Amino acid sequence: MNVVSVIASPRKNGNCKHIVDIFTEVIEENNGHNTVYFVEDMKIRGCQACRACKSFEKPTMCVLDDDFNRVMKKVSESDAFIFACPNYFGEICGQGRVFMDRFYSMTKTTPNQLKNNPKCVVIHTYGARDGHYDEYIAKKARVFNSIGCELVKILSIGENKPTRGDSHRLIEEVRMTAQELVGEQ
């Protein structure tokens, strides 16, 4: 299984990374590979609303030549896509918003939707109690379906886990979700 993970957290060793590491471990145990990208390391511009992506006469990928297009090309060649993003002050972080903003160029109203329908897991971490942002997170996660992903699971992880500690149950849930992902090939 070939997986692409995008971590939108600016913290290279935060909760999102710890959770993606568990996925990577399970993927590799099942002879797969997970390529991990940090939005913080990429050069990505926000959508310019040029609407070139919406043209059905002359279909084109997003005209911005940046890392978003390169990463999404890798996603279009993968079996699965994992997106991990922290929630700061009730919203996904800025890095996550900039990355997801560019999904506009890949929706059902464009010829650029993902044709491979990769399985998708969306991970959101936050400091509030578990479940506090579930409605917001579910709404944000719907855009992954609109770009051609098959949303397998949304992991809404509160209480600053796993870095806060006391995360045995969470780690088991993540491992089980990862097993489901690799088993659904």
Side-chain angles (χ1 to χ4, degrees):
M1 170 173 254
N2 183 26
V3 181
V4 172
S5 292
V6 171
I7 299 175
S9 175
R11 296 177 58 225
K12 297 258 176 117
N13 206 20
N15 291 316
C16 290
K17 173 71 164 63
H18 287 299
I19 294 163
V20 169
D21 284 348
I22 296 167
F23 272 92
T24 300
E25 189 177 294
V26 172
I27 291 163
E28 289 176 352
E29 286 170 0
N30 287 274
N31 300 315
H33 179 73
N34 187 17
T35 304
V36 179
Y37 296 95
F38 282 90
V39 174
E40 189 70 14
D41 293 338
M42 296 185 228
K43 293 197 183 335
I44 299 177
R45 293 180 57 198
C47 176
Q48 302 298 295
C50 69
R51 298 191 51 82
C53 61
K54 302 290 184 186
S55 171
F56 279 93
E57 295 162 8
K58 187 179 177 188
T60 181
M61 292 300 285
C62 181
V63 297
L64 297 176
D65 183 23
D66 64 8
D67 291 334
F68 174 82
N69 286 340
R70 286 182 269 293
V71 169
M72 292 312 291
K73 180 168 180 9
K74 296 286 187 195
V75 171
S76 76
E77 299 165 349
S78 71
D79 302 303
F81 178 33
I82 298 170
F83 182 79
C85 186
N87 188 314
Y88 296 153
F89 201 57
E91 299 278 339
I92 62 172
C93 71
Q95 292 86 339
R97 283 193 301 271
V98 167
F99 192 87
M100 289 176 67
D101 184 51
R102 294 286 292 286
F103 287 167
Y104 179 74
S105 67
M106 302 178 71
T107 64
K108 292 176 183 175
T109 59
T110 73
N112 306 316
Q113 200 175 30
L114 294 169
K115 309 290 188 269
N116 60 327
N117 300 105
K119 309 288 184 206
C120 184
V121 174
V122 175
I123 301 162
H124 279 281
T125 61
Y126 47 91
R129 65 176 162 62
D130 271 339
H132 185 77
Y133 292 110
D134 284 0
E135 185 178 330
Y136 168 78
I137 292 165
K139 182 179 176 182
K140 285 292 186 189
R142 282 192 294 247
V143 300
F144 291 86
N145 285 329
S146 75
I147 67 168
C149 292
E150 182 185 327
L151 191 58
V152 173
K153 181 90 171 190
I154 300 168
L155 290 173
S156 170
I157 301 167
E159 301 176 12
N160 287 320
K161 290 181 180 176
T163 56
R164 185 191 66 130
D166 187 31
S167 302
H168 302 295
R169 194 172 46 158
L170 166 67
I171 290 168
E172 265 316 298
E173 179 184 2
V174 172
R175 285 190 68 76
M176 284 176 33
T177 301
Q179 286 290 356
E180 287 173 33
L181 185 67
V182 297
E184 289 188 9
Q185 247 180 320

PDB file of all heavy atoms in Angstrom, residues 99-126:
ATOM      1  N   PHE A  99      -3.668  24.826   2.728  1.00  0.00           N
ATOM      2  CA  PHE A  99      -3.618  23.588   1.952  1.00  0.00           C
ATOM      3  C   PHE A  99      -5.011  23.221   1.439  1.00  0.00           C
ATOM      4  O   PHE A  99      -5.209  22.973   0.252  1.00  0.00           O
ATOM      5  CB  PHE A  99      -3.030  22.448   2.788  1.00  0.00           C
ATOM      6  CG  PHE A  99      -2.684  21.237   1.979  1.00  0.00           C
ATOM      7  CD1 PHE A  99      -1.446  21.139   1.366  1.00  0.00           C
ATOM      8  CD2 PHE A  99      -3.584  20.203   1.808  1.00  0.00           C
ATOM      9  CE1 PHE A  99      -1.113  20.027   0.593  1.00  0.00           C
ATOM     10  CE2 PHE A  99      -3.273  19.092   1.048  1.00  0.00           C
ATOM     11  CZ  PHE A  99      -2.033  19.011   0.437  1.00  0.00           C
ATOM     12  N   MET A 100      -5.996  23.203   2.319  1.00  0.00           N
ATOM     13  CA  MET A 100      -7.350  22.812   1.934  1.00  0.00           C
ATOM     14  C   MET A 100      -8.000  23.825   0.998  1.00  0.00           C
ATOM     15  O   MET A 100      -8.853  23.454   0.186  1.00  0.00           O
ATOM     16  CB  MET A 100      -8.206  22.587   3.181  1.00  0.00           C
ATOM     17  CG  MET A 100      -7.808  21.334   3.941  1.00  0.00           C
ATOM     18  SD  MET A 100      -8.739  21.111   5.477  1.00  0.00           S
ATOM     19  CE  MET A 100     -10.379  20.806   4.835  1.00  0.00           C
ATOM     20  N   ASP A 101      -7.610  25.077   1.079  1.00  0.00           N
ATOM     21  CA  ASP A 101      -8.136  26.117   0.192  1.00  0.00           C
ATOM     22  C   ASP A 101      -7.915  25.745  -1.272  1.00  0.00           C
ATOM     23  O   ASP A 101      -8.754  25.979  -2.130  1.00  0.00           O
ATOM     24  CB  ASP A 101      -7.449  27.445   0.522  1.00  0.00           C
ATOM     25  CG  ASP A 101      -7.972  28.618  -0.274  1.00  0.00           C
ATOM     26  OD1 ASP A 101      -9.203  28.810  -0.310  1.00  0.00           O
ATOM     27  OD2 ASP A 101      -7.145  29.358  -0.842  1.00  0.00           O
ATOM     28  N   ARG A 102      -6.811  25.112  -1.533  1.00  0.00           N
ATOM     29  CA  ARG A 102      -6.463  24.742  -2.902  1.00  0.00           C
ATOM     30  C   ARG A 102      -7.278  23.557  -3.415  1.00  0.00           C
ATOM     31  O   ARG A 102      -7.268  23.274  -4.616  1.00  0.00           O
ATOM     32  CB  ARG A 102      -4.970  24.471  -2.999  1.00  0.00           C
ATOM     33  CG  ARG A 102      -4.122  25.718  -2.762  1.00  0.00           C
ATOM     34  CD  ARG A 102      -4.156  26.671  -3.944  1.00  0.00           C
ATOM     35  NE  ARG A 102      -3.489  26.085  -5.084  1.00  0.00           N
ATOM     36  CZ  ARG A 102      -2.164  25.963  -5.194  1.00  0.00           C
ATOM     37  NH1 ARG A 102      -1.364  26.426  -4.259  1.00  0.00           N
ATOM     38  NH2 ARG A 102      -1.661  25.385  -6.266  1.00  0.00           N
ATOM     39  N   PHE A 103      -8.016  22.880  -2.551  1.00  0.00           N
ATOM     40  CA  PHE A 103      -8.913  21.814  -3.009  1.00  0.00           C
ATOM     41  C   PHE A 103      -9.962  22.370  -3.975  1.00  0.00           C
ATOM     42  O   PHE A 103     -10.571  21.619  -4.728  1.00  0.00           O
ATOM     43  CB  PHE A 103      -9.620  21.139  -1.829  1.00  0.00           C
ATOM     44  CG  PHE A 103      -8.746  20.231  -0.996  1.00  0.00           C
ATOM     45  CD1 PHE A 103      -9.200  19.785   0.225  1.00  0.00           C
ATOM     46  CD2 PHE A 103      -7.486  19.821  -1.414  1.00  0.00           C
ATOM     47  CE1 PHE A 103      -8.438  18.936   1.012  1.00  0.00           C
ATOM     48  CE2 PHE A 103      -6.710  18.975  -0.634  1.00  0.00           C
ATOM     49  CZ  PHE A 103      -7.193  18.534   0.579  1.00  0.00           C
ATOM     50  N   TYR A 104     -10.168  23.665  -3.961  1.00  0.00           N
ATOM     51  CA  TYR A 104     -11.112  24.310  -4.885  1.00  0.00           C
ATOM     52  C   TYR A 104     -10.812  23.907  -6.323  1.00  0.00           C
ATOM     53  O   TYR A 104     -11.718  23.754  -7.135  1.00  0.00           O
ATOM     54  CB  TYR A 104     -11.014  25.828  -4.718  1.00  0.00           C
ATOM     55  CG  TYR A 104     -11.917  26.629  -5.624  1.00  0.00           C
ATOM     56  CD1 TYR A 104     -13.288  26.698  -5.383  1.00  0.00           C
ATOM     57  CD2 TYR A 104     -11.405  27.333  -6.710  1.00  0.00           C
ATOM     58  CE1 TYR A 104     -14.122  27.445  -6.194  1.00  0.00           C
ATOM     59  CE2 TYR A 104     -12.230  28.079  -7.534  1.00  0.00           C
ATOM     60  CZ  TYR A 104     -13.591  28.134  -7.270  1.00  0.00           C
ATOM     61  OH  TYR A 104     -14.412  28.873  -8.077  1.00  0.00           O
ATOM     62  N   SER A 105      -9.548  23.692  -6.630  1.00  0.00           N
ATOM     63  CA  SER A 105      -9.143  23.335  -7.990  1.00  0.00           C
ATOM     64  C   SER A 105      -9.394  21.862  -8.314  1.00  0.00           C
ATOM     65  O   SER A 105      -9.106  21.420  -9.425  1.00  0.00           O
ATOM     66  CB  SER A 105      -7.652  23.650  -8.206  1.00  0.00           C
ATOM     67  OG  SER A 105      -6.845  22.799  -7.417  1.00  0.00           O
ATOM     68  N   MET A 106      -9.962  21.113  -7.360  1.00  0.00           N
ATOM     69  CA  MET A 106     -10.106  19.669  -7.539  1.00  0.00           C
ATOM     70  C   MET A 106     -11.508  19.157  -7.239  1.00  0.00           C
ATOM     71  O   MET A 106     -11.717  17.962  -7.143  1.00  0.00           O
ATOM     72  CB  MET A 106      -9.115  18.950  -6.614  1.00  0.00           C
ATOM     73  CG  MET A 106      -7.679  19.328  -6.847  1.00  0.00           C
ATOM     74  SD  MET A 106      -6.582  18.488  -5.700  1.00  0.00           S
ATOM     75  CE  MET A 106      -6.699  16.829  -6.338  1.00  0.00           C
ATOM     76  N   THR A 107     -12.485  20.026  -7.132  1.00  0.00           N
ATOM     77  CA  THR A 107     -13.831  19.601  -6.752  1.00  0.00           C
ATOM     78  C   THR A 107     -14.563  18.939  -7.907  1.00  0.00           C
ATOM     79  O   THR A 107     -14.069  18.894  -9.033  1.00  0.00           O
ATOM     80  CB  THR A 107     -14.667  20.790  -6.248  1.00  0.00           C
ATOM     81  OG1 THR A 107     -14.836  21.708  -7.331  1.00  0.00           O
ATOM     82  CG2 THR A 107     -14.009  21.467  -5.055  1.00  0.00           C
ATOM     83  N   LYS A 108     -15.766  18.475  -7.623  1.00  0.00           N
ATOM     84  CA  LYS A 108     -16.590  17.798  -8.627  1.00  0.00           C
ATOM     85  C   LYS A 108     -16.922  18.703  -9.806  1.00  0.00           C
ATOM     86  O   LYS A 108     -17.266  18.223 -10.873  1.00  0.00           O
ATOM     87  CB  LYS A 108     -17.881  17.296  -7.984  1.00  0.00           C
ATOM     88  CG  LYS A 108     -17.650  16.187  -6.991  1.00  0.00           C
ATOM     89  CD  LYS A 108     -18.935  15.781  -6.296  1.00  0.00           C
ATOM     90  CE  LYS A 108     -18.616  14.714  -5.259  1.00  0.00           C
ATOM     91  NZ  LYS A 108     -19.780  14.354  -4.482  1.00  0.00           N
ATOM     92  N   THR A 109     -16.835  20.016  -9.630  1.00  0.00           N
ATOM     93  CA  THR A 109     -17.134  20.945 -10.720  1.00  0.00           C
ATOM     94  C   THR A 109     -15.915  21.218 -11.587  1.00  0.00           C
ATOM     95  O   THR A 109     -15.934  22.115 -12.418  1.00  0.00           O
ATOM     96  CB  THR A 109     -17.681  22.280 -10.174  1.00  0.00           C
ATOM     97  OG1 THR A 109     -16.703  22.854  -9.302  1.00  0.00           O
ATOM     98  CG2 THR A 109     -18.985  22.069  -9.426  1.00  0.00           C
ATOM     99  N   THR A 110     -14.860  20.458 -11.394  1.00  0.00           N
ATOM    100  CA  THR A 110     -13.651  20.590 -12.216  1.00  0.00           C
ATOM    101  C   THR A 110     -13.347  19.240 -12.862  1.00  0.00           C
ATOM    102  O   THR A 110     -13.821  18.205 -12.397  1.00  0.00           O
ATOM    103  CB  THR A 110     -12.416  21.003 -11.384  1.00  0.00           C
ATOM    104  OG1 THR A 110     -11.996  19.883 -10.606  1.00  0.00           O
ATOM    105  CG2 THR A 110     -12.687  22.194 -10.488  1.00  0.00           C
ATOM    106  N   PRO A 111     -12.526  19.242 -13.893  1.00  0.00           N
ATOM    107  CA  PRO A 111     -12.093  17.962 -14.464  1.00  0.00           C
ATOM    108  C   PRO A 111     -10.894  17.381 -13.717  1.00  0.00           C
ATOM    109  O   PRO A 111     -10.304  16.408 -14.149  1.00  0.00           O
ATOM    110  CB  PRO A 111     -11.707  18.350 -15.897  1.00  0.00           C
ATOM    111  CG  PRO A 111     -11.302  19.774 -15.800  1.00  0.00           C
ATOM    112  CD  PRO A 111     -12.133  20.384 -14.697  1.00  0.00           C
ATOM    113  N   ASN A 112     -10.546  17.959 -12.579  1.00  0.00           N
ATOM    114  CA  ASN A 112      -9.308  17.618 -11.870  1.00  0.00           C
ATOM    115  C   ASN A 112      -9.504  16.762 -10.632  1.00  0.00           C
ATOM    116  O   ASN A 112      -8.560  16.534  -9.891  1.00  0.00           O
ATOM    117  CB  ASN A 112      -8.590  18.912 -11.462  1.00  0.00           C
ATOM    118  CG  ASN A 112      -8.366  19.817 -12.633  1.00  0.00           C
ATOM    119  OD1 ASN A 112      -7.963  19.377 -13.697  1.00  0.00           O
ATOM    120  ND2 ASN A 112      -8.659  21.091 -12.460  1.00  0.00           N
ATOM    121  N   GLN A 113     -10.701  16.291 -10.401  1.00  0.00           N
ATOM    122  CA  GLN A 113     -10.956  15.469  -9.232  1.00  0.00           C
ATOM    123  C   GLN A 113     -10.063  14.224  -9.271  1.00  0.00           C
ATOM    124  O   GLN A 113      -9.719  13.732 -10.347  1.00  0.00           O
ATOM    125  CB  GLN A 113     -12.427  15.064  -9.236  1.00  0.00           C
ATOM    126  CG  GLN A 113     -12.929  14.646  -7.899  1.00  0.00           C
ATOM    127  CD  GLN A 113     -14.417  14.365  -7.933  1.00  0.00           C
ATOM    128  OE1 GLN A 113     -14.956  13.962  -8.951  1.00  0.00           O
ATOM    129  NE2 GLN A 113     -15.067  14.545  -6.813  1.00  0.00           N
ATOM    130  N   LEU A 114      -9.682  13.732  -8.095  1.00  0.00           N
ATOM    131  CA  LEU A 114      -8.847  12.532  -8.013  1.00  0.00           C
ATOM    132  C   LEU A 114      -9.574  11.357  -8.647  1.00  0.00           C
ATOM    133  O   LEU A 114     -10.686  11.018  -8.247  1.00  0.00           O
ATOM    134  CB  LEU A 114      -8.496  12.222  -6.560  1.00  0.00           C
ATOM    135  CG  LEU A 114      -7.606  13.238  -5.861  1.00  0.00           C
ATOM    136  CD1 LEU A 114      -7.557  12.966  -4.360  1.00  0.00           C
ATOM    137  CD2 LEU A 114      -6.213  13.234  -6.461  1.00  0.00           C
ATOM    138  N   LYS A 115      -8.948  10.737  -9.621  1.00  0.00           N
ATOM    139  CA  LYS A 115      -9.570   9.612 -10.344  1.00  0.00           C
ATOM    140  C   LYS A 115      -9.345   8.282  -9.636  1.00  0.00           C
ATOM    141  O   LYS A 115     -10.077   7.332  -9.848  1.00  0.00           O
ATOM    142  CB  LYS A 115      -9.013   9.515 -11.775  1.00  0.00           C
ATOM    143  CG  LYS A 115      -9.049  10.809 -12.560  1.00  0.00           C
ATOM    144  CD  LYS A 115     -10.439  11.231 -12.942  1.00  0.00           C
ATOM    145  CE  LYS A 115     -10.438  12.419 -13.878  1.00  0.00           C
ATOM    146  NZ  LYS A 115     -10.495  13.710 -13.260  1.00  0.00           N
ATOM    147  N   ASN A 116      -8.314   8.223  -8.802  1.00  0.00           N
ATOM    148  CA  ASN A 116      -7.971   6.967  -8.136  1.00  0.00           C
ATOM    149  C   ASN A 116      -8.784   6.723  -6.865  1.00  0.00           C
ATOM    150  O   ASN A 116      -8.681   5.662  -6.267  1.00  0.00           O
ATOM    151  CB  ASN A 116      -6.476   6.931  -7.806  1.00  0.00           C
ATOM    152  CG  ASN A 116      -6.042   8.063  -6.886  1.00  0.00           C
ATOM    153  OD1 ASN A 116      -6.585   9.174  -6.942  1.00  0.00           O
ATOM    154  ND2 ASN A 116      -5.057   7.811  -6.044  1.00  0.00           N
ATOM    155  N   ASN A 117      -9.589   7.678  -6.454  1.00  0.00           N
ATOM    156  CA  ASN A 117     -10.416   7.567  -5.243  1.00  0.00           C
ATOM    157  C   ASN A 117      -9.654   6.983  -4.056  1.00  0.00           C
ATOM    158  O   ASN A 117     -10.039   5.938  -3.510  1.00  0.00           O
ATOM    159  CB  ASN A 117     -11.676   6.749  -5.503  1.00  0.00           C
ATOM    160  CG  ASN A 117     -12.532   7.365  -6.572  1.00  0.00           C
ATOM    161  OD1 ASN A 117     -12.568   6.866  -7.688  1.00  0.00           O
ATOM    162  ND2 ASN A 117     -13.185   8.451  -6.262  1.00  0.00           N
ATOM    163  N   PRO A 118      -8.567   7.655  -3.641  1.00  0.00           N
ATOM    164  CA  PRO A 118      -7.804   7.097  -2.520  1.00  0.00           C
ATOM    165  C   PRO A 118      -8.624   7.075  -1.235  1.00  0.00           C
ATOM    166  O   PRO A 118      -9.474   7.936  -1.006  1.00  0.00           O
ATOM    167  CB  PRO A 118      -6.623   8.074  -2.388  1.00  0.00           C
ATOM    168  CG  PRO A 118      -7.135   9.361  -2.949  1.00  0.00           C
ATOM    169  CD  PRO A 118      -8.064   8.970  -4.056  1.00  0.00           C
ATOM    170  N   LYS A 119      -8.377   6.046  -0.430  1.00  0.00           N
ATOM    171  CA  LYS A 119      -8.974   5.995   0.902  1.00  0.00           C
ATOM    172  C   LYS A 119      -8.411   7.179   1.680  1.00  0.00           C
ATOM    173  O   LYS A 119      -7.258   7.568   1.470  1.00  0.00           O
ATOM    174  CB  LYS A 119      -8.610   4.707   1.622  1.00  0.00           C
ATOM    175  CG  LYS A 119      -8.873   3.446   0.834  1.00  0.00           C
ATOM    176  CD  LYS A 119     -10.327   3.167   0.720  1.00  0.00           C
ATOM    177  CE  LYS A 119     -10.518   1.825   0.006  1.00  0.00           C
ATOM    178  NZ  LYS A 119     -11.773   1.737  -0.665  1.00  0.00           N
ATOM    179  N   CYS A 120      -9.191   7.742   2.571  1.00  0.00           N
ATOM    180  CA  CYS A 120      -8.744   8.948   3.270  1.00  0.00           C
ATOM    181  C   CYS A 120      -9.071   8.871   4.753  1.00  0.00           C
ATOM    182  O   CYS A 120     -10.163   8.462   5.138  1.00  0.00           O
ATOM    183  CB  CYS A 120      -9.415  10.162   2.637  1.00  0.00           C
ATOM    184  SG  CYS A 120      -8.882  11.733   3.329  1.00  0.00           S
ATOM    185  N   VAL A 121      -8.102   9.270   5.561  1.00  0.00           N
ATOM    186  CA  VAL A 121      -8.301   9.428   6.998  1.00  0.00           C
ATOM    187  C   VAL A 121      -7.961  10.880   7.321  1.00  0.00           C
ATOM    188  O   VAL A 121      -6.910  11.388   6.926  1.00  0.00           O
ATOM    189  CB  VAL A 121      -7.390   8.477   7.820  1.00  0.00           C
ATOM    190  CG1 VAL A 121      -7.510   8.771   9.319  1.00  0.00           C
ATOM    191  CG2 VAL A 121      -7.739   7.026   7.526  1.00  0.00           C
ATOM    192  N   VAL A 122      -8.873  11.542   8.007  1.00  0.00           N
ATOM    193  CA  VAL A 122      -8.674  12.926   8.426  1.00  0.00           C
ATOM    194  C   VAL A 122      -8.496  12.924   9.938  1.00  0.00           C
ATOM    195  O   VAL A 122      -9.315  12.357  10.666  1.00  0.00           O
ATOM    196  CB  VAL A 122      -9.865  13.820   8.019  1.00  0.00           C
ATOM    197  CG1 VAL A 122      -9.703  15.223   8.571  1.00  0.00           C
ATOM    198  CG2 VAL A 122     -10.006  13.852   6.499  1.00  0.00           C
ATOM    199  N   ILE A 123      -7.414  13.549  10.389  1.00  0.00           N
ATOM    200  CA  ILE A 123      -7.075  13.601  11.810  1.00  0.00           C
ATOM    201  C   ILE A 123      -7.083  15.062  12.250  1.00  0.00           C
ATOM    202  O   ILE A 123      -6.418  15.895  11.630  1.00  0.00           O
ATOM    203  CB  ILE A 123      -5.673  13.008  12.059  1.00  0.00           C
ATOM    204  CG1 ILE A 123      -5.609  11.559  11.573  1.00  0.00           C
ATOM    205  CG2 ILE A 123      -5.285  13.130  13.536  1.00  0.00           C
ATOM    206  CD1 ILE A 123      -4.187  11.045  11.379  1.00  0.00           C
ATOM    207  N   HIS A 124      -7.844  15.357  13.292  1.00  0.00           N
ATOM    208  CA  HIS A 124      -7.821  16.705  13.881  1.00  0.00           C
ATOM    209  C   HIS A 124      -7.510  16.558  15.363  1.00  0.00           C
ATOM    210  O   HIS A 124      -8.142  15.759  16.063  1.00  0.00           O
ATOM    211  CB  HIS A 124      -9.165  17.414  13.710  1.00  0.00           C
ATOM    212  CG  HIS A 124      -9.344  18.022  12.361  1.00  0.00           C
ATOM    213  ND1 HIS A 124      -8.768  19.207  11.999  1.00  0.00           N
ATOM    214  CD2 HIS A 124     -10.024  17.603  11.286  1.00  0.00           C
ATOM    215  CE1 HIS A 124      -9.100  19.504  10.757  1.00  0.00           C
ATOM    216  NE2 HIS A 124      -9.852  18.538  10.294  1.00  0.00           N
ATOM    217  N   THR A 125      -6.543  17.324  15.822  1.00  0.00           N
ATOM    218  CA  THR A 125      -6.164  17.300  17.229  1.00  0.00           C
ATOM    219  C   THR A 125      -6.466  18.664  17.841  1.00  0.00           C
ATOM    220  O   THR A 125      -6.449  19.687  17.147  1.00  0.00           O
ATOM    221  CB  THR A 125      -4.668  16.977  17.402  1.00  0.00           C
ATOM    222  OG1 THR A 125      -3.896  17.986  16.755  1.00  0.00           O
ATOM    223  CG2 THR A 125      -4.321  15.612  16.827  1.00  0.00           C
ATOM    224  N   TYR A 126      -6.730  18.671  19.148  1.00  0.00           N
ATOM    225  CA  TYR A 126      -7.058  19.925  19.835  1.00  0.00           C
ATOM    226  C   TYR A 126      -6.925  19.732  21.333  1.00  0.00           C
ATOM    227  O   TYR A 126      -6.802  18.615  21.823  1.00  0.00           O
ATOM    228  CB  TYR A 126      -8.469  20.405  19.454  1.00  0.00           C
ATOM    229  CG  TYR A 126      -9.524  19.332  19.517  1.00  0.00           C
ATOM    230  CD1 TYR A 126     -10.257  19.119  20.678  1.00  0.00           C
ATOM    231  CD2 TYR A 126      -9.777  18.523  18.423  1.00  0.00           C
ATOM    232  CE1 TYR A 126     -11.224  18.125  20.738  1.00  0.00           C
ATOM    233  CE2 TYR A 126     -10.745  17.530  18.468  1.00  0.00           C
ATOM    234  CZ  TYR A 126     -11.463  17.339  19.631  1.00  0.00           C
ATOM    235  OH  TYR A 126     -12.404  16.349  19.688  1.00  0.00           O
TER     236      TYR A 126
END
